Amino acid sequence: TAHLQGTYPTLTVQDTASSTTALNLYTAVIATLRVVGGRGTINIDAASTISSAIEQIGADGVTTILADGATVTGSTLTMDSGSFTMNEAIPNITVFGGELESTITATDTITLLEIYDGQVRFNPSAACIISELTMYGGKFYSTESTTPTFTITECLLHEGSMLDERSGLRNITFTLPVQMEGGEVKYDVGREITIT
């Protein structure tokens, strides 16, 4: 188990232990967090700041957990492997693979969420916003979300992608018509939706 505090222009994780407390970042100020390997859990606490980017690349065995309250304003997340649990909204997200789980508990905004492969489990408990969801592949699930409502402003699906909103709550508000260039949408029973 490792515990780190301090200021890091770039913090690169190449390996970790296999425990759920393998690497713990406390009140850390990080410009770029780069995770390229490991087998355990990386915990980023609520007092930490990531000002530029989080990259989880080639890290199949890693689970990263971003605590609610961490400062990520202006940051980007790029991942292609492993698991990433996001309790605080990151403005710009690109998923090439792996699993991203969002359990946002505040009215945060994700400006852009792009999915090429892998899956996103979007389970907010607050009325958050995704300004633009673009899917080139992969899967987006909100089947376990518990918030009464959250918003997807623009939604574009390409061939090979799948959006599943079947939580039983009909709680996604699509501001604009869903644009379909292929792909599949699984709606809650009783939904009335506009597709272009």
Side-chain angles (χ1 to χ4, degrees):
T1 299
H3 302 271
L4 296 179
Q5 292 178 304
T7 300
Y8 306 89
T10 301
L11 176 59
T12 302
V13 180
Q14 294 179 309
D15 197 4
T16 69
S18 58
S19 71
T20 57
T21 56
L23 176 58
N24 304 282
L25 303 174
Y26 294 110
T27 61
V29 178
I30 303 166
T32 299
L33 173 62
R34 187 169 291 132
V35 182
V36 295
R39 296 162 300 185
T41 301
I42 299 170
N43 299 292
I44 306 167
D45 86 326
S48 292
T49 298
I50 299 176
S51 59
S52 180
I54 302 171
E55 301 166 359
Q56 187 162 301
I57 307 297
D60 292 321
V62 171
T63 296
T64 302
I65 300 175
L66 177 69
D68 184 16
T71 302
V72 291
T73 305
S75 296
T76 62
L77 168 64
T78 303
M79 66 178 292
D80 72 356
S81 54
S83 175
F84 194 100
T85 300
M86 178 177 68
N87 296 300
E88 182 73 32
I90 299 172
N92 296 288
I93 302 168
T94 305
V95 179
F96 292 106
E99 178 175 280
L100 171 65
E101 181 174 7
S102 174
T103 56
I104 298 171
T105 60
T107 55
D108 296 335
T109 298
I110 297 170
T111 305
L112 175 62
L113 173 54
E114 290 182 302
I115 305 170
Y116 290 85
D117 202 354
Q119 61 184 14
V120 174
R121 296 191 177 277
F122 200 75
N123 304 317
S125 58
C128 54
I129 298 169
I130 301 174
S131 298
E132 183 180 340
L133 171 62
T134 301
M135 299 183 65
Y136 300 97
K139 298 174 175 64
F140 179 97
Y141 298 96
S142 65
T143 53
E144 297 174 16
S145 61
T146 58
T147 183
T149 183
F150 70 93
T151 300
I152 298 177
T153 306
E154 295 181 55
C155 184
L156 171 60
L157 277 71
H158 292 274
E159 190 67 39
S161 60
M162 190 269 285
L163 186 151
D164 187 347
E165 70 145 12
R166 296 174 298 172
S167 65
L169 300 175
R170 287 185 279 180
N171 56 357
I172 302 179
T173 298
F174 293 96
T175 306
L176 299 173
V178 177
Q179 299 178 59
M180 303 281 297
E181 302 290 339
E184 179 182 7
V185 181
K186 297 182 179 181
Y187 292 110
D188 268 321
V189 173
R191 262 296 205 185
E192 292 184 14
I193 248 7
T194 302
I195 298 175
T196 60

